[in-house]
Amino acid sequence: MERTGCAVVGGGPAGMMLGLLLARAGVHVAVLEKHRDFLRDFRGDTVHASTIRLIDELGLGAGFRALPQSRLNNVAVPVPGAGMVTLAAFDSLKPPYNYVAMMPQWDFLDFLASAAAAEPTFTLLMETEATGLEFDGGRVTGVRYRSTGDAADDVERVLPADVVVAADGRHSVLRQAAGMRAKEYPVPFDTWWFKIPRHPAEKGDVAGVVPSLGNRDAMIALNRTDYYQMGYLAPKGSDARIREGGVERFRQRVAALRPDLADRVDSIRSVADLHWLDVRLNRLRRWYRDGFLCIGDAAHAMSPAGGVGINLAIQDAVAAAERLAPDLRQGHVRTRTLAAIQRRRRMPTVVVQTVQRIMHRVVFVPLFAGTLSGDMLAGRDARTLFPVQRILLFILRHNPVVKRVLPRMVAIGPRPEHAPGFARPLTVPPPTKLGAMTSPTDTAVDTAAARARLLELIKELAVVRGKVILSSGAEADYYIDLRRITLHHEASKLVGQVMLALADDAGIDFECAGGLTMGADPVGTAVMHAAVDAGRTVDAFVVRKAQKSYGMGRQVEGPSVEGRKVLVLEDTSTTGGSALTAVEGVRKAGGNVVAVAVIVDRDTGAKEKIEAETGVPYLFAFGKDELGLA
C-alpha cells in the first residue's frame, strides 16, 4: 500500500473492530497483524453482552450466533459448606443481552475479518510486523513494518497514514516507539495456561468458567469442545520455581485443585506445555500524541480478574471510530479529537481497574499469602469468625443492589458504546436530511438507529453557531436550542426512546421522570410515552421554580413522587442550576432521586457540580464532541 487513512497495528478484537467500523465510514484503513492467522491458543474467549449488542447493531447478529459458542449465564465460585455461590447472574439482565458468549477468539476474529473484507476501503495485512513509527517533526505520519511470511525479505517499509492506532497489546511496540510509559499497579499473581482433555460424557453445550481455590493457589477451567482450557494462578514471580519443580509436581497441584480431573493430568507432558502469562495492570497517563493513539491493552493493560479486558478494548475501538471518522474523511486527524477519545474512555477504564485492584487486595493477596481459604469463607476456620472476605461474600450473595449492579458491570461495563450511525446497515433506505424515520421499537438495533437519527436532527436543527450569551451570563460561540428537538414532531419520540435506553444502560431503575419547567417538560413526557411503548409504567411530573402560594401550594405537579424512584431530566445544562432546583423540589416532595439525565452535556462543569451536590449519577446522551463542538 502507498498510503492509508488509518493504520491499525494489532489484529486482536479492538484492532479488527476499529478496522471494520472505519471501513464502514468509507475511510481507507489497514490492519497490520504479525501472525499468519488468528489461530492461537490461550487468548480471552469471552464476548460480553454489550459486544453482542454492538454486533446486532452492525447487522451481523445472525452470522455471529451461527458460530460455535456456548452461553455463560452466571459466574459462581465453590465455597465449602455453601456449594456454588453465584457472584454475577447474567440471566437477571434484560434479554436478549443476558449472557456472555464463550467462543474461541480465533473464530470471533475470523468473523470480524470476513465482515470487514466486504468493505472496499478495508485492507488486512497478515504476517506484517510493526517495528516502529515514522515522524515528521513531532507528528506521527506512518508506521514502519516488515513482512514475516515465508518469502519475507526483512526489508523495513513505511506505511504513511493520517493516524496510527496502536492496538498491539500490553507489550506494545508502538507505545514504546512513541516514548510513552505506563503507570504500573501491583499484581499479586501470574497465570499458566494449559489444556486438559474432556471425556465424551462431559461434552455438551453448557458454558462455564469454573474456579477452584486452593492453599496459596487457584485454578479456572473454561469449557472447550474437546478439552478444558485451564488457567493455573500462583504468586507473581513463581514461573522459575514452578518449572524447576517439574511436570509431576505441577500435575499434583492440578489434581489437588480439581480431583475430578486427576485421571487425565498425564496429558500435561512437560512444563513446556505451560504458557506463562505475565499479568499486568497499568495505564497510560496520556493515550495519544499528534497523529498517534493507543487503545485497549496498549493504553491500559487489564488483569484477568473479572474477564472484562476484551470488552473494554472493543468499547475503546467503537468510541475511537465514531470520533476519528469525521476527521479522517477530511484527511487530517486533530489532536483534540484524540484527546476526546481518551476523555470518553478514561472513566470506564479507571472504574474497572479500581475494581480489579480491590479484588487483588481482598481475594488474591490473602489467598496467595495463605490467609484466605475455602474454610474461612465457609466460616469453619477458627482463626477468625468474621473475615473481611466472608462479609464481602455475604454482601455479594444477599444485597439486592450489588446483585443487580455486578452482572451489569461485568457483562455490559460502566460505559457501553453503541455502533455509530455510519456503521449500521439500514433495512430501509437511509432517511433524507430531514426525512422521517420508521417508528422505533424496543430493540437494541432500533434504539441505536434512534440515537443516530436523533444526533443527526440535533446537529441540523438545534445547534446555532455565533456569539451568544448563555443563561449563566457566560459568552459562547454556539447555542444549543433543544426545544427545537423536544417539541419537534419526529425528534420528540426519539428523545423518549434514547433517554429511556440511557437510563437502562446505566442500570437506573425509576418510576417517575421530569424536571424543572419548562425545558424538562417535553423530555419527561417523551420518556413517559416511550416507556408505555415498551410495556412499562413511568409517570411524568413538572417542577415549578418555586412553590405555589395558592391552590394546593405544590411545587411538584402531576402524579405524586412521594416514596418513588425519580429520574430528574433536563434538555441541556450549563451550570447545573435547573437540575439542582428540580432535585431539591423533588426531595422536598418526598421523592427518591436516583439520577439526573440530560440530552446534551455542554462539558462546562454541570456533571461535576450536580454529582457533588446531589450524590446521584449524572447521565447524558450526547457530549458536545459528538455534535462537532469539541
Side-chain angles (χ1 to χ4, degrees):
M1 294 183 65
E2 294 184 359
R3 182 176 181 82
T4 189
C6 179
V8 182
V9 176
M16 293 306 302
M17 181 60 73
L18 178 59
L20 168 60
L21 295 176
L22 289 178
R24 286 198 171 182
V27 171
H28 285 276
V29 56
V31 177
L32 285 64
E33 168 56 46
K34 66 180 179 180
H35 294 94
R36 177 175 297 182
D37 52 41
F38 299 120
L39 191 63
R40 296 183 296 286
D41 284 337
F42 311 124
R43 306 182 72 166
D45 293 342
T46 53
V47 182
H48 288 65
S50 56
T51 301
I52 299 171
R53 181 177 62 190
L54 171 66
I55 291 168
D56 281 343
E57 292 168 357
L58 295 174
L60 301 172
F64 174 80
R65 288 172 176 80
L67 297 174
Q69 61 186 275
S70 52
R71 294 189 174 194
L72 181 64
N73 295 317
N74 62 68
V75 173
V77 297
V79 175
M84 295 296 292
V85 175
T86 298
L87 301 183
F90 303 133
D91 51 12
S92 66
L93 300 175
K94 184 179 179 180
Y97 307 113
N98 56 347
Y99 69 97
V100 171
M102 301 289 295
M103 67 169 58
Q105 191 179 109
W106 55 81
D107 286 342
F108 183 54
L109 294 177
D110 279 335
F111 172 73
L112 293 180
S114 296
E119 306 299 327
T121 58
F122 176 83
T123 302
L124 176 59
L125 302 173
M126 302 296 288
E127 297 183 284
T128 304
E129 181 179 10
T131 57
L133 295 169
E134 184 78 357
F135 294 89
D136 182 3
R139 180 178 176 83
V140 174
T141 57
V143 58
R144 292 184 172 274
Y145 70 95
R146 62 170 173 258
S147 174
T148 59
D150 294 336
D153 53 15
D154 203 36
V155 174
E156 190 176 65
R157 296 177 173 84
V158 175
L159 175 60
D162 296 323
V163 67
V164 177
V165 178
D168 52 342
R170 64 189 60 206
H171 301 294
S172 172
V173 171
L174 295 192
R175 181 178 70 189
Q176 183 176 358
M180 296 177 171
R181 298 292 181 269
K183 179 180 179 180
E184 297 285 343
Y185 298 97
V187 177
F189 66 95
D190 284 335
T191 304
W192 289 261
W193 293 105
F194 59 97
K195 296 179 182 179
I196 291 285
R198 293 180 72 182
H199 292 331
E202 298 169 334
K203 297 175 184 176
D205 58 358
V206 178
V209 178
V210 182
S212 304
L213 303 182
N215 181 20
R216 301 176 189 268
D217 60 1
M219 194 160 61
I220 59 173
L222 286 75
N223 295 350
R224 291 285 184 267
T225 305
D226 300 312
Y227 63 92
Y228 297 105
Q229 179 173 320
M230 311 295 296
Y232 178 75
L233 281 63
K236 182 166 280 293
S238 301
D239 187 59
R241 177 174 56 83
I242 287 174
R243 296 183 187 279
E244 289 171 1
V247 67
E248 187 55 39
R249 176 66 184 118
F250 188 79
R251 290 169 179 166
Q252 293 171 5
R253 296 173 188 268
V254 174
L257 286 166
R258 287 291 302 270
D260 58 313
L261 301 180
D263 61 337
R264 63 199 92 169
V265 294
D266 288 346
S267 62
I268 310 171
R269 296 164 297 178
S270 73
V271 290
D273 289 340
L274 308 181
H275 296 253
W276 172 50
L277 173 64
D278 178 18
V279 177
R280 309 289 289 272
L281 184 66
N282 60 40
R283 184 171 69 247
L284 289 173
R285 183 187 67 83
R286 180 169 168 168
W287 302 9
Y288 63 92
R289 60 177 296 174
D290 197 9
F292 178 72
L293 173 70
C294 293
I295 63 172
D297 275 5
H300 45 74
M302 311 301 292
S303 162
V308 296
I310 294 173
N311 192 52
L312 199 68
I314 289 175
Q315 302 301 310
D316 284 358
V318 179
E322 186 163 16
R323 287 154 182 81
L324 285 174
D327 280 17
L328 286 167
R329 290 189 186 116
Q330 298 295 323
H332 179 75
V333 174
R334 299 166 295 173
T335 304
R336 68 181 185 180
T337 299
L338 304 177
I341 295 168
Q342 178 176 345
R343 284 199 306 271
R344 174 71 182 178
R345 296 305 305 162
R346 185 179 185 279
M347 181 277 288
T349 300
V350 171
V351 168
V352 171
Q353 289 189 329
T354 299
V355 171
Q356 291 186 329
R357 292 168 65 191
I358 293 172
M359 292 175 66
H360 290 171
R361 289 196 296 267
V362 173
V363 178
F364 294 104
V365 169
L367 173 67
F368 297 133
T371 58
L372 173 64
S373 66
D375 284 342
M376 287 178 62
L377 293 175
R380 296 201 302 263
D381 193 324
R383 286 178 291 175
T384 175
L385 293 176
F386 298 100
V388 173
Q389 292 81 10
R390 189 181 177 200
I391 295 172
L392 289 176
L393 185 64
F394 179 86
I395 293 173
L396 288 172
R397 293 176 64 188
H398 300 290
N399 186 288
V401 175
V402 174
K403 290 175 71 175
R404 183 176 71 247
V405 171
L406 190 58
R408 290 193 61 86
M409 178 66 74
V410 176
I412 304 294
R415 178 174 276 172
E417 304 287 349
H418 290 276
F422 58 71
R424 295 175 296 101
L426 297 178
T427 56
V428 295
T432 59
K433 223 170 192 184
L434 292 179
M437 195 184 92
T438 53
S439 297
T441 59
D442 189 27
T443 69
V445 175
D446 287 329
T447 298
R451 188 180 189 280
R453 177 59 175 155
L454 180 58
L455 178 59
E456 183 180 273
L457 288 169
I458 292 173
K459 290 179 178 179
E460 182 69 24
L461 300 176
V463 177
V464 181
R465 298 183 184 273
K467 295 290 184 182
V468 294
I469 304 298
L470 304 176
S471 60
S472 63
E475 184 179 278
D477 295 327
Y478 62 88
Y479 181 68
I480 305 174
D481 184 1
L482 282 173
R483 289 178 182 81
R484 298 184 181 186
I485 292 298
T486 58
L487 299 174
H488 185 268
H489 66 281
E490 178 190 358
S492 174
K493 189 168 187 177
L494 303 178
V495 165
Q497 187 180 5
V498 168
M499 297 303 286
L500 187 65
L502 176 69
D504 286 347
D505 286 344
I508 303 298
D509 182 29
F510 64 98
E511 303 165 85
C512 304
L516 190 68
T517 193
M518 67 181 190
D521 297 351
V523 187
T525 303
V527 170
M528 176 181 67
H529 287 301
V532 170
D533 290 343
R536 297 160 59 178
T537 300
V538 171
D539 288 329
F541 64 87
V542 172
V543 181
R544 294 178 177 271
K545 294 181 180 179
Q547 186 172 338
K548 283 200 306 183
S549 60
Y550 56 91
M552 297 180 65
R554 300 172 65 181
Q555 184 179 5
V556 179
E557 300 285 4
S560 174
V561 298
E562 185 174 2
R564 304 175 75 186
K565 298 176 183 177
V566 175
L567 177 66
V568 169
L569 298 169
E570 187 55 84
D571 51 9
T572 187
S573 188
T574 303
T575 65
S578 296
L580 290 172
T581 300
V583 170
E584 182 182 7
V586 168
R587 286 176 171 170
K588 284 181 180 178
N592 174 24
V593 178
V594 293
V596 173
V598 303
I599 302 172
V600 173
D601 177 56
R602 295 174 54 90
D603 194 21
T604 51
K607 172 181 171 63
E608 293 75 14
K609 183 176 182 180
I610 289 171
E611 290 186 338
E613 295 190 20
T614 66
V616 300
Y618 173 95
L619 314 175
F620 59 91
F622 303 101
K624 70 175 186 177
D625 54 335
E626 295 178 88
L627 304 183
L629 302 173

